[in-house]
Each structure stands twice: as C-alpha cells, then as structure tokens.
Amino acid sequence: MSATVEGLVIGGDRVAAAEGETFDVVNPATAATLASVASAGAEDVDRAVAASMAAYERWGALSPVTRGRHLHRFAALVEEHAEELALLECRNVGMPIGDARGQLGMIVDVIRYYAGAVDKFFGHTVPVERDGVAMTFREPIGVVGLITPWNFPLNIANWKIAPALAAGNTVVLKPASLTPLSVLRYAELAIEAGIPAGALNVVPGPGGTVGSALVEHPGVGKIGFTGSTEVGAGIARRAAAGIKRVTLELGGKSACVVFEDADLDKVGRLAPYGVFENCGQDCCARSRLIVQESVADEVVERYSETARNLRVGMPESPETEVGPLISAGQRETVERYVGIGLEEGARIVVGGERPNGELSGGFFYRPTVLADVRNDMTVAREEIFGPVVSVITFRDEADAVAIANDTPYGLSGSLWTRDGARQLRVARALRTGVLGVNTNSSVFPQTPFGGYKQSGIGKELGMEALAHNTELKSVFISTE
Ligand code: NAD
C-alpha cells in the first residue's frame, strides 16, 4: 500500500497547512509510513474557527428536526463506508480488524442516537409566582473545539462530534497526531451527507501549538477534551481564562473486583478482555485485578491461562485479538513500568516480553499479568496504558471497596459476584463513573459515560452530552 497525502479539512475543502508543514503517520504493526499529513499551525486554527463561525450561521439556525435528518443521512453514509473506515483505523492504530469493525458499529449507532434524540431534548415551562410564563430554551453554544487521543480515534471523536452537531454547534477538531486518518475521511463523508461546509473542520498538528491555539481562541465557546489527566488539567486552566465551557475525559486505573462467590469460569474467560483489548490502550482498562484471597490462586491461574492464549498478531488478520502498541515510545513506557513493578516486588505470571518472528517489525508486547502487587506500588497507582494487569488481593467486602477506591482516578470498573445484595451495595460504594457487574461492557450510546475524581468533568453519550453542548436560557413573559 503506497502512502497517501492528506490535507486539513477546513471550510469543506482539503487544504495544505498555511506554513506548508507535514508529518508522517505510520502503521504500528510494521512501522511503515501510511500517509503524509498536513500539519496545522495557529493560522490554520484561525481559518478553521472562521469557517466554523460562518457555518454556524446556517447550521445553528436549522430546526433540530432538520439537523436530525442530516445526521441520519450522515449515519447511512458512514455505515456504507464502514469497512473502509475500519481498515483505516486498523492500519493507523494497530487495532484488530474485528474490533475496528465493532467500533464502526458503535459510531453509526451514536450518530443515529443523536439524530433521533435532538428533537426530544428541549426546555420547559416553569411555574413561578408572578403572572406570566417562565420558560427555558436549549440553545447551541457556537463553535466547539475538540481535542482527542490516539487510542480509539474515530469512536472518541464521534462521541463528541455527533452531539455537538446535533445540538446546533459547529466543530473544529484536533485529532492526535499519531492517528488522524479515519477522522479526516469521516469529515469528508459529513460534507457529502449535506452537513454544511465548515460545520466540521479537522486540523491535525502538535498539541502544544494547534491544541493550545484552539483552547485559547476567542471564537471557541467550548472545549471537549479526551486525553491524559496532566494535559487535561492544563487545558482546564487555560480555558478558564476565557470562561469557556469545558468537558474532560481523562485517565483511569480501573478495578476488576472479583468475590469468592463469582462465576470463576466466566471471570477467567472474559475478564482479561477488560484490560487486554486494544492492547490495554483503553481509558477504561481494568488494570487492577482485585481478588478475594480465598480464590486468588484459582482466579490468577484461570485469568492468566486466557491471557497466555490471546492471539497476538497482525491487526488485519481476522483471528487477531491483540495488536501492537501505538508507538515504540509507548512500548518503552510499558517496559519501564513492568521493570519498576519487578523492582517493587511484583512477579510476572505471563507475558513481560516482546513477541518475535513476523511481529518483530512492529511495536508488539505480550499480555502481561503481574501478581504479588500491593495497591501502593507504582504499577497499581499510575496508568500504564498498555497490556499489563496488576493482581491485588483483599480479605472482605470492606477491604475490596477501600482498595478499589484508593486511587486518584474513578473512570470505569467491573464487579464479579453472584450475590444480588452485594452487587448493589458495592456498585453504590465504588467511586467510579461507569461500572459493569458480571461483565466487561458497560458503555452504550444511551447511557452517560464519564469519570469521577481525576478521571474527568462532564459526561459523554446519553442525553447528558446534549446538555453539555447547549446553553440554557430562561425567559419570562409578563402578562401583568
Ligand atoms: P494526551 O493527553 O497526550 O493527548 C491528547 C490530545 O491532546 C492529543 O490530541 C494531543 O495532541 C493534545 N495535546 C497535547 N498537549 C496539549 C496541549 N498542551 N494543549 C492542547 N492539546 C494538547 O493523551 P494521549 O496520549 O493521546 O491519550 C492517552 C490518554 O488519554 C490516557 O491517559 C487515557 O486514559 C486518556 N483517555 C481517556 C478517555 C476517557 O474517555 N476518559 C478515553 C481515551 C483516552
């Protein structure tokens, strides 16, 4: 496959960067160059915001019903091109093709959800003391600036773009430099679907310049960010200067809590996918396996057996379950963490090495289970963002809840127990935004997604994302 040349998407056109700069994007499974991409700068952000403001005049003025119809057409077009987009994601992220197809399924569902939801999200009339009518209106914010990471590039961008557009805003998106390809193509499809030119602009480029320019731009009313807690905190500080609305989806160190009464066969077969999918590069990765002492040996054995047999391979092969990490640097980070874990007393049960043979040209690393971990060790505290799980044991329910909550993060988690009362008690006690009981999956277009504590502010998905993409106006008409 020869490398492509990719322009920015500004005002409905594919254009070169004002400074003429480009950067290369590689396939992490082979390190081969996939594309040369225009690298935006501050001037391009100005152009994109201007195009977005002009498009807002048209798009924001349409009725929600009409915007919904446009989004339905867009969803149909994305569905028609799902295989093409899945392949782009597979090659650029190293995501197994089966998983990439699954992501495209969710992407289409989310666009359809907001196409249908937007005319069911409205203000109210409110009883007040004076004679007249008090009412509220939901109104778009204007231009929304979005900044996204590389782990699920199109899915995360779409979680933000679909509700932002549905609510009547227009968008300037800065994707992660490592993975801009799928969203550039998606933006072309939006234009083809009749969404006005300029309503969705895409400006890949370095976070420090393009991301910062977007955060500080006076024409941008809201910033939606997904990425690391460190970068998110800096964005919140800078956005505060312009009193911009901000939503943040940040890091995680989520727990998979297994009680002795759980279906241990199911835990062993399924729970490993809750951390090793996408090679552990998942903000929701259940990277702490917190197991009751009485069944710890059995759970570690069953879990590790599944981890050992996960099919690590080339992402385009339909059998592959775990692809490469995104970059050489990310693999080095993972190796450094495993080294620190060993120094602090952890033991490798499986993994802890790079595969060789046909995989040696890419950034692969084997699914790794670290046992004998205490919750105060570095591997249990910091987000590794790779295929590494740390096993920690607990005595009783109170101990389990205390360990699971003893983290600065609070994004996701799983709980495995057959005791109904305990399911409810522990689900209520865990300080986390999203939780699956007896399952890894807990994310749906219809339900809010977002973190507690240092995992974020605000929610994606569900009606909550429309709330975050609108201003709420109160009007009182006096009849006195
Ligand atoms: P990152 O924070 O390094 O980068 C995220 C985005 O911010 C990129 O587009 C980057 O270019 C941009 N950026 C970097 N510096 C910036 C700056 N100074 N100003 C403005 N923008 C800037 O994160 P990453 O390495 O791309 O992604 C991994 C992180 O994302 C992990 O911490 C993971 O947990 C988190 N994540 C969270 C969620 C969630 O929904 N909570 C989902 C996926 C990933």
Side-chain angles (χ1 to χ4, degrees):
M1 209 187 76
S2 59
T4 57
V5 177
E6 303 284 342
L8 315 172
V9 177
I10 297 181
D13 296 320
R14 294 299 292 266
V15 295
E19 303 271 331
E21 302 265 322
T22 61
F23 62 95
D24 284 347
V25 168
V26 303
N27 179 341
T30 60
T33 301
L34 286 172
S36 165
V37 179
S39 181
E43 195 180 330
D44 300 299
V45 172
D46 278 343
R47 287 199 288 165
V49 173
S52 203
M53 288 168 93
Y56 176 70
E57 298 299 317
R58 257 183 79 198
W59 182 248
L62 293 177
S63 76
V65 177
T66 308
R67 288 199 301 266
R69 283 198 193 108
H70 277 86
L71 286 171
H72 273 302
R73 274 198 295 278
F74 181 36
L77 210 52
V78 171
E79 192 168 43
E80 208 178 291
H81 291 265
E83 189 59 21
E84 176 194 349
L85 290 164
L87 253 181
L88 277 175
E89 204 76 326
C90 167
R91 289 182 180 143
N92 196 176
V93 184
M95 185 185 293
I97 186 66
D99 292 351
R101 288 182 180 131
Q103 295 271 299
L104 261 296
M106 184 178 204
I107 287 162
V108 171
D109 287 349
V110 166
I111 303 172
R112 291 213 165 107
Y113 173 78
Y114 286 109
V118 66
D119 61 0
K120 297 160 195 73
F121 184 73
F122 39 70
H124 301 280
T125 54
V126 186
V128 294
E129 205 171 14
R130 294 250 312 266
D131 284 342
V133 184
M135 53 196 152
T136 59
F137 292 89
R138 289 281 176 184
E139 297 181 343
I141 295 169
V143 176
V144 169
L146 303 177
I147 301 175
T148 49
W150 44 260
N151 58 331
F152 297 111
L154 193 53
N155 203 10
I156 289 175
N158 183 65
W159 282 12
K160 297 178 187 302
I161 293 168
L165 289 178
N169 304 293
T170 52
V171 172
V172 178
L173 169 81
K174 192 211 88 64
S177 305
L178 290 165
T179 56
L181 300 185
S182 53
V183 80
L184 285 166
R185 180 71 185 115
Y186 161 105
E188 286 182 340
L189 296 176
I191 296 158
E192 206 179 315
I195 292 173
L200 173 57
N201 306 278
V202 185
V203 285
T209 48
V210 183
S212 292
L214 200 51
V215 171
E216 284 162 15
H217 202 292
V220 173
K222 181 199 161 176
I223 293 291
F225 171 79
T226 297
S228 60
T229 295
E230 190 187 352
V231 173
I235 285 177
R237 274 195 295 276
R238 278 175 292 134
I243 318 291
K244 291 190 198 326
R245 285 87 188 99
V246 178
T247 49
L248 303 171
E249 294 294 340
L250 308 174
K253 193 72 198 177
S254 298
C256 172
V257 182
V258 182
F259 284 92
E260 60 190 3
D261 64 16
D263 179 339
L264 299 186
D265 172 58
K266 216 168 162 191
V267 170
R269 281 186 294 109
L270 302 181
Y273 291 90
V275 65
F276 297 125
E277 250 169 15
N278 213 34
C279 204
Q281 302 163 119
D282 181 350
C283 53
C284 291
R286 279 71 164 168
S287 54
R288 291 182 301 148
L289 176 61
I290 303 179
V291 197
Q292 195 149 18
E293 276 168 2
S294 50
V295 291
D297 288 346
E298 183 179 352
V299 169
V300 170
E301 196 184 316
R302 288 175 185 262
Y303 190 103
S304 301
E305 184 62 13
T306 302
R308 189 178 292 114
N309 291 319
L310 285 170
R311 291 186 295 270
V312 179
M314 295 305 273
E316 284 181 55
S317 159
E319 283 82 43
T320 294
E321 294 177 293
V322 179
L325 287 152
I326 190 70
S327 64
Q330 190 64 19
R331 182 167 62 179
E332 280 160 23
T333 301
V334 170
E335 290 175 330
R336 189 168 49 76
Y337 272 115
V338 171
I340 293 172
L342 296 178
E343 277 166 28
E344 294 184 3
R347 168 174 60 91
I348 295 175
V349 183
V350 290
E353 60 183 6
R354 303 176 179 190
N356 39 34
E358 69 149 354
L359 303 183
S360 54
F363 312 128
F364 292 86
Y365 193 78
R366 286 204 181 283
T368 299
V369 177
L370 295 179
D372 302 341
V373 175
R374 289 183 325 274
N375 202 47
D376 61 357
M377 285 164 52
T378 309
V379 287
R381 306 230 49 95
E382 296 182 15
E383 185 181 40
I384 299 176
F385 227 56
V388 181
V389 71
S390 298
V391 185
I392 301 161
T393 57
F394 69 86
R395 285 183 312 279
D396 54 21
E397 190 177 304
D399 196 24
V401 169
I403 294 171
N405 284 342
D406 179 15
T407 167
Y409 296 111
L411 186 56
S412 183
S414 291
L415 166 61
W416 297 82
T417 172
R418 284 191 268 219
D419 178 334
R422 172 178 279 158
Q423 290 172 3
L424 202 52
R425 251 188 341 260
V426 178
R428 297 290 303 271
L430 293 177
R431 301 287 298 158
T432 188
V434 185
L435 183 73
V437 179
N438 295 330
T439 176
N440 296 323
S441 55
S442 44
V443 180
F444 305 96
Q446 299 79 5
T447 55
F449 173 92
Y452 279 24
K453 302 193 277 183
Q454 290 187 25
S455 286
I457 297 175
K459 300 290 170 190
E460 311 271 22
L461 303 176
M463 288 296 192
E464 285 74 8
L466 288 177
H468 286 302
N469 275 287
T470 45
E471 299 281 17
L472 187 58
K473 179 183 281 175
S474 291
V475 174
F476 176 67
I477 301 179
S478 171
T479 54
E480 284 169 354

Tab-separated table of all heavy atoms in Angstrom, residues 316-361:
chain	number	residue	atom	x	y	z
A	316	GLU	N	-4.621	-6.850	10.707
A	316	GLU	CA	-5.542	-7.091	9.591
A	316	GLU	C	-6.032	-8.535	9.535
A	316	GLU	O	-6.943	-8.852	8.776
A	316	GLU	CB	-4.891	-6.677	8.280
A	316	GLU	CG	-4.881	-5.172	8.132
A	316	GLU	CD	-4.264	-4.698	6.838
A	316	GLU	OE1	-4.714	-5.140	5.774
A	316	GLU	OE2	-3.323	-3.875	6.899
A	317	SER	N	-5.414	-9.428	10.321
A	317	SER	CA	-5.870	-10.810	10.330
A	317	SER	C	-7.118	-10.928	11.206
A	317	SER	O	-7.112	-10.486	12.362
A	317	SER	CB	-4.754	-11.707	10.871
A	317	SER	OG	-5.308	-12.900	11.334
A	318	PRO	N	-8.188	-11.547	10.681
A	318	PRO	CA	-9.442	-11.606	11.451
A	318	PRO	C	-9.311	-12.390	12.760
A	318	PRO	O	-10.123	-12.217	13.666
A	318	PRO	CB	-10.434	-12.284	10.501
A	318	PRO	CG	-9.723	-12.543	9.245
A	318	PRO	CD	-8.306	-12.112	9.341
A	319	GLU	N	-8.288	-13.260	12.867
A	319	GLU	CA	-8.125	-14.049	14.112
A	319	GLU	C	-7.495	-13.231	15.239
A	319	GLU	O	-7.566	-13.601	16.403
A	319	GLU	CB	-7.208	-15.259	13.886
A	319	GLU	CG	-7.860	-16.416	13.163
A	319	GLU	CD	-7.838	-16.180	11.675
A	319	GLU	OE1	-6.793	-15.725	11.159
A	319	GLU	OE2	-8.886	-16.418	11.022
A	320	THR	N	-6.822	-12.128	14.891
A	320	THR	CA	-6.043	-11.400	15.905
A	320	THR	C	-6.941	-10.780	16.970
A	320	THR	O	-7.964	-10.176	16.676
A	320	THR	CB	-5.198	-10.300	15.209
A	320	THR	OG1	-4.233	-10.956	14.393
A	320	THR	CG2	-4.492	-9.409	16.210
A	321	GLU	N	-6.508	-10.952	18.237
A	321	GLU	CA	-7.239	-10.344	19.359
A	321	GLU	C	-6.467	-9.182	19.968
A	321	GLU	O	-7.054	-8.287	20.573
A	321	GLU	CB	-7.499	-11.397	20.439
A	321	GLU	CG	-8.436	-12.502	19.986
A	321	GLU	CD	-8.606	-13.548	21.056
A	321	GLU	OE1	-7.620	-14.263	21.366
A	321	GLU	OE2	-9.717	-13.659	21.587
A	322	VAL	N	-5.134	-9.211	19.870
A	322	VAL	CA	-4.309	-8.143	20.440
A	322	VAL	C	-3.283	-7.710	19.383
A	322	VAL	O	-2.495	-8.532	18.907
A	322	VAL	CB	-3.567	-8.622	21.715
A	322	VAL	CG1	-2.693	-7.510	22.281
A	322	VAL	CG2	-4.560	-9.098	22.765
A	323	GLY	N	-3.315	-6.438	19.029
A	323	GLY	CA	-2.371	-5.888	18.055
A	323	GLY	C	-1.184	-5.257	18.764
A	323	GLY	O	-0.914	-5.538	19.944
A	324	PRO	N	-0.479	-4.371	18.063
A	324	PRO	CA	0.687	-3.717	18.666
A	324	PRO	C	0.282	-2.527	19.530
A	324	PRO	O	-0.866	-2.091	19.497
A	324	PRO	CB	1.444	-3.208	17.439
A	324	PRO	CG	0.353	-2.920	16.452
A	324	PRO	CD	-0.702	-3.961	16.664
A	325	LEU	N	1.252	-2.011	20.273
A	325	LEU	CA	1.086	-0.704	20.909
A	325	LEU	C	1.219	0.358	19.825
A	325	LEU	O	1.663	0.084	18.713
A	325	LEU	CB	2.136	-0.525	22.000
A	325	LEU	CG	1.851	-1.378	23.250
A	325	LEU	CD1	3.129	-1.730	23.974
A	325	LEU	CD2	0.884	-0.665	24.169
A	326	ILE	N	0.847	1.591	20.155
A	326	ILE	CA	0.771	2.630	19.127
A	326	ILE	C	2.136	3.081	18.622
A	326	ILE	O	2.261	3.520	17.481
A	326	ILE	CB	-0.036	3.854	19.650
A	326	ILE	CG1	-0.349	4.841	18.531
A	326	ILE	CG2	0.690	4.554	20.790
A	326	ILE	CD1	-1.340	4.342	17.534
A	327	SER	N	3.169	2.982	19.462
A	327	SER	CA	4.469	3.528	19.049
A	327	SER	C	5.588	2.843	19.822
A	327	SER	O	5.350	2.211	20.864
A	327	SER	CB	4.523	5.035	19.347
A	327	SER	OG	4.443	5.244	20.747
A	328	ALA	N	6.811	3.040	19.332
A	328	ALA	CA	7.982	2.498	20.038
A	328	ALA	C	8.052	3.122	21.428
A	328	ALA	O	8.356	2.453	22.416
A	328	ALA	CB	9.242	2.812	19.236
A	329	GLY	N	7.742	4.415	21.514
A	329	GLY	CA	7.808	5.119	22.801
A	329	GLY	C	6.814	4.553	23.804
A	329	GLY	O	7.124	4.395	24.987
A	330	GLN	N	5.610	4.218	23.317
A	330	GLN	CA	4.605	3.668	24.228
A	330	GLN	C	5.056	2.297	24.734
A	330	GLN	O	4.860	1.954	25.902
A	330	GLN	CB	3.255	3.575	23.496
A	330	GLN	CG	2.071	3.253	24.388
A	330	GLN	CD	1.781	4.341	25.414
A	330	GLN	OE1	2.220	5.479	25.272
A	330	GLN	NE2	1.064	3.994	26.464
A	331	ARG	N	5.688	1.518	23.865
A	331	ARG	CA	6.177	0.202	24.309
A	331	ARG	C	7.286	0.364	25.346
A	331	ARG	O	7.346	-0.373	26.324
A	331	ARG	CB	6.659	-0.628	23.120
A	331	ARG	CG	7.123	-2.010	23.566
A	331	ARG	CD	7.317	-2.957	22.418
A	331	ARG	NE	8.356	-2.490	21.498
A	331	ARG	CZ	8.735	-3.164	20.417
A	331	ARG	NH1	8.133	-4.326	20.118
A	331	ARG	NH2	9.665	-2.704	19.620
A	332	GLU	N	8.136	1.351	25.134
A	332	GLU	CA	9.194	1.585	26.129
A	332	GLU	C	8.597	1.970	27.480
A	332	GLU	O	9.078	1.555	28.529
A	332	GLU	CB	10.164	2.677	25.646
A	332	GLU	CG	11.174	2.136	24.650
A	332	GLU	CD	11.806	3.230	23.802
A	332	GLU	OE1	11.810	4.402	24.231
A	332	GLU	OE2	12.270	2.909	22.693
A	333	THR	N	7.537	2.782	27.440
A	333	THR	CA	6.863	3.167	28.693
A	333	THR	C	6.353	1.919	29.412
A	333	THR	O	6.523	1.757	30.627
A	333	THR	CB	5.674	4.108	28.391
A	333	THR	OG1	6.193	5.256	27.728
A	333	THR	CG2	4.934	4.525	29.638
A	334	VAL	N	5.719	1.027	28.649
A	334	VAL	CA	5.167	-0.198	29.249
A	334	VAL	C	6.303	-1.030	29.845
A	334	VAL	O	6.214	-1.518	30.981
A	334	VAL	CB	4.384	-1.001	28.184
A	334	VAL	CG1	4.000	-2.378	28.707
A	334	VAL	CG2	3.138	-0.228	27.755
A	335	GLU	N	7.388	-1.170	29.118
A	335	GLU	CA	8.523	-1.978	29.613
A	335	GLU	C	9.121	-1.365	30.876
A	335	GLU	O	9.515	-2.076	31.802
A	335	GLU	CB	9.578	-2.122	28.510
A	335	GLU	CG	9.069	-3.020	27.394
A	335	GLU	CD	10.011	-3.131	26.205
A	335	GLU	OE1	10.762	-2.161	25.925
A	335	GLU	OE2	9.979	-4.166	25.525
A	336	ARG	N	9.153	-0.045	30.900
A	336	ARG	CA	9.699	0.637	32.085
A	336	ARG	C	8.813	0.345	33.304
A	336	ARG	O	9.311	0.028	34.380
A	336	ARG	CB	9.761	2.153	31.798
A	336	ARG	CG	10.503	2.973	32.835
A	336	ARG	CD	10.777	4.395	32.338
A	336	ARG	NE	9.606	5.061	31.772
A	336	ARG	CZ	8.604	5.572	32.499
A	336	ARG	NH1	8.631	5.525	33.809
A	336	ARG	NH2	7.577	6.154	31.909
A	337	TYR	N	7.490	0.405	33.097
A	337	TYR	CA	6.578	0.126	34.216
A	337	TYR	C	6.721	-1.321	34.705
A	337	TYR	O	6.709	-1.570	35.908
A	337	TYR	CB	5.123	0.399	33.819
A	337	TYR	CG	4.701	1.828	34.059
A	337	TYR	CD1	4.367	2.673	33.013
A	337	TYR	CD2	4.629	2.333	35.358
A	337	TYR	CE1	3.978	3.982	33.233
A	337	TYR	CE2	4.242	3.647	35.595
A	337	TYR	CZ	3.920	4.470	34.528
A	337	TYR	OH	3.541	5.759	34.768
A	338	VAL	N	6.850	-2.257	33.788
A	338	VAL	CA	6.991	-3.661	34.212
A	338	VAL	C	8.288	-3.802	35.015
A	338	VAL	O	8.317	-4.461	36.065
A	338	VAL	CB	6.962	-4.609	32.987
A	338	VAL	CG1	7.329	-6.034	33.398
A	338	VAL	CG2	5.566	-4.585	32.355
A	339	GLY	N	9.345	-3.125	34.578
A	339	GLY	CA	10.623	-3.146	35.318
A	339	GLY	C	10.461	-2.580	36.727
A	339	GLY	O	10.933	-3.172	37.710
A	340	ILE	N	9.740	-1.466	36.830
A	340	ILE	CA	9.507	-0.858	38.159
A	340	ILE	C	8.690	-1.823	39.024
A	340	ILE	O	8.968	-2.008	40.210
A	340	ILE	CB	8.768	0.502	38.010
A	340	ILE	CG1	9.673	1.518	37.315
A	340	ILE	CG2	8.312	1.026	39.370
A	340	ILE	CD1	8.967	2.822	36.942
A	341	GLY	N	7.698	-2.467	38.414
A	341	GLY	CA	6.873	-3.434	39.151
A	341	GLY	C	7.740	-4.539	39.748
A	341	GLY	O	7.598	-4.888	40.929
A	342	LEU	N	8.649	-5.065	38.950
A	342	LEU	CA	9.517	-6.148	39.432
A	342	LEU	C	10.412	-5.642	40.569
A	342	LEU	O	10.569	-6.322	41.589
A	342	LEU	CB	10.378	-6.694	38.287
A	342	LEU	CG	9.595	-7.371	37.149
A	342	LEU	CD1	10.540	-7.844	36.045
A	342	LEU	CD2	8.775	-8.544	37.674
A	343	GLU	N	10.959	-4.449	40.385
A	343	GLU	CA	11.825	-3.881	41.443
A	343	GLU	C	11.061	-3.717	42.753
A	343	GLU	O	11.610	-3.882	43.831
A	343	GLU	CB	12.337	-2.495	41.035
A	343	GLU	CG	13.560	-2.526	40.150
A	343	GLU	CD	13.799	-1.152	39.523
A	343	GLU	OE1	13.408	-0.133	40.126
A	343	GLU	OE2	14.344	-1.134	38.400
A	344	GLU	N	9.766	-3.367	42.643
A	344	GLU	CA	8.973	-3.113	43.864
A	344	GLU	C	8.350	-4.393	44.422
A	344	GLU	O	7.576	-4.339	45.372
A	344	GLU	CB	7.904	-2.051	43.573
A	344	GLU	CG	8.524	-0.685	43.275
A	344	GLU	CD	7.472	0.425	43.064
A	344	GLU	OE1	6.268	0.166	43.204
A	344	GLU	OE2	7.885	1.560	42.751
A	345	GLY	N	8.638	-5.555	43.801
A	345	GLY	CA	8.207	-6.820	44.406
A	345	GLY	C	7.166	-7.607	43.639
A	345	GLY	O	6.714	-8.649	44.116
A	346	ALA	N	6.746	-7.136	42.446
A	346	ALA	CA	5.763	-7.896	41.668
A	346	ALA	C	6.438	-9.101	41.005
A	346	ALA	O	7.673	-9.159	40.898
A	346	ALA	CB	5.119	-7.001	40.622
A	347	ARG	N	5.588	-10.041	40.551
A	347	ARG	CA	6.080	-11.264	39.899
A	347	ARG	C	5.315	-11.416	38.577
A	347	ARG	O	4.086	-11.255	38.552
A	347	ARG	CB	5.785	-12.439	40.841
A	347	ARG	CG	5.940	-13.819	40.289
A	347	ARG	CD	5.744	-14.858	41.415
A	347	ARG	NE	4.437	-14.782	42.044
A	347	ARG	CZ	3.354	-15.476	41.645
A	347	ARG	NH1	3.427	-16.276	40.623
A	347	ARG	NH2	2.196	-15.355	42.294
A	348	ILE	N	6.053	-11.714	37.502
A	348	ILE	CA	5.382	-11.916	36.205
A	348	ILE	C	4.821	-13.330	36.150
A	348	ILE	O	5.565	-14.293	36.317
A	348	ILE	CB	6.365	-11.702	35.033
A	348	ILE	CG1	6.828	-10.250	34.977
A	348	ILE	CG2	5.734	-12.118	33.715
A	348	ILE	CD1	7.888	-9.965	33.919
A	349	VAL	N	3.489	-13.440	35.909
A	349	VAL	CA	2.891	-14.769	35.760
A	349	VAL	C	2.899	-15.168	34.286
A	349	VAL	O	3.264	-16.289	33.932
A	349	VAL	CB	1.449	-14.793	36.314
A	349	VAL	CG1	0.865	-16.204	36.221
A	349	VAL	CG2	1.417	-14.293	37.740
A	350	VAL	N	2.476	-14.250	33.425
A	350	VAL	CA	2.619	-14.467	31.972
A	350	VAL	C	3.037	-13.151	31.335
A	350	VAL	O	2.817	-12.070	31.890
A	350	VAL	CB	1.317	-14.934	31.264
A	350	VAL	CG1	0.941	-16.330	31.647
A	350	VAL	CG2	0.182	-13.973	31.509
A	351	GLY	N	3.606	-13.239	30.137
A	351	GLY	CA	3.970	-12.041	29.370
A	351	GLY	C	5.288	-11.454	29.828
A	351	GLY	O	6.236	-12.179	30.121
A	352	GLY	N	5.327	-10.107	29.829
A	352	GLY	CA	6.546	-9.429	30.241
A	352	GLY	C	7.618	-9.422	29.163
A	352	GLY	O	8.793	-9.209	29.455
A	353	GLU	N	7.217	-9.630	27.914
A	353	GLU	CA	8.222	-9.662	26.836
A	353	GLU	C	7.587	-9.291	25.493
A	353	GLU	O	6.366	-9.321	25.336
A	353	GLU	CB	8.824	-11.057	26.748
A	353	GLU	CG	7.763	-12.096	26.442
A	353	GLU	CD	8.272	-13.524	26.400
A	353	GLU	OE1	9.445	-13.739	26.725
A	353	GLU	OE2	7.479	-14.400	26.028
A	354	ARG	N	8.480	-8.999	24.543
A	354	ARG	CA	8.027	-8.742	23.168
A	354	ARG	C	7.932	-10.068	22.428
A	354	ARG	O	8.803	-10.916	22.619
A	354	ARG	CB	9.060	-7.884	22.426
A	354	ARG	CG	9.372	-6.575	23.095
A	354	ARG	CD	10.464	-5.855	22.323
A	354	ARG	NE	10.762	-4.572	22.953
A	354	ARG	CZ	11.528	-3.631	22.405
A	354	ARG	NH1	12.097	-3.838	21.229
A	354	ARG	NH2	11.736	-2.488	23.022
A	355	PRO	N	6.921	-10.248	21.569
A	355	PRO	CA	6.936	-11.446	20.728
A	355	PRO	C	7.962	-11.264	19.613
A	355	PRO	O	8.323	-10.133	19.285
A	355	PRO	CB	5.522	-11.497	20.156
A	355	PRO	CG	5.008	-10.110	20.244
A	355	PRO	CD	5.779	-9.385	21.311
A	356	ASN	N	8.445	-12.337	19.035
A	356	ASN	CA	9.390	-12.167	17.921
A	356	ASN	C	8.801	-12.724	16.634
A	356	ASN	O	7.598	-12.718	16.462
A	356	ASN	CB	10.754	-12.769	18.269
A	356	ASN	CG	10.591	-14.061	19.027
A	356	ASN	OD1	9.644	-14.791	18.755
A	356	ASN	ND2	11.456	-14.309	19.995
A	357	GLY	N	9.639	-13.163	15.727
A	357	GLY	CA	9.171	-13.679	14.437
A	357	GLY	C	8.587	-12.568	13.600
A	357	GLY	O	9.134	-11.455	13.579
A	358	GLU	N	7.438	-12.859	12.946
A	358	GLU	CA	6.873	-11.874	11.998
A	358	GLU	C	6.407	-10.592	12.708
A	358	GLU	O	6.161	-9.581	12.065
A	358	GLU	CB	5.715	-12.480	11.183
A	358	GLU	CG	4.478	-12.750	12.000
A	358	GLU	CD	3.175	-12.611	11.204
A	358	GLU	OE1	3.184	-12.199	10.040
A	358	GLU	OE2	2.120	-12.916	11.802
A	359	LEU	N	6.319	-10.622	14.049
A	359	LEU	CA	5.837	-9.436	14.766
A	359	LEU	C	6.976	-8.513	15.204
A	359	LEU	O	6.722	-7.449	15.769
A	359	LEU	CB	5.019	-9.859	15.989
A	359	LEU	CG	3.817	-10.762	15.702
A	359	LEU	CD1	3.046	-11.060	16.981
A	359	LEU	CD2	2.882	-10.119	14.673
A	360	SER	N	8.210	-8.903	14.937
A	360	SER	CA	9.326	-8.122	15.483
A	360	SER	C	9.493	-6.753	14.802
A	360	SER	O	10.175	-5.877	15.331
A	360	SER	CB	10.628	-8.904	15.435
A	360	SER	OG	10.833	-9.340	14.125
A	361	GLY	N	8.832	-6.553	13.646
A	361	GLY	CA	8.934	-5.249	12.973
A	361	GLY	C	8.006	-4.193	13.561
A	361	GLY	O	8.139	-3.001	13.275
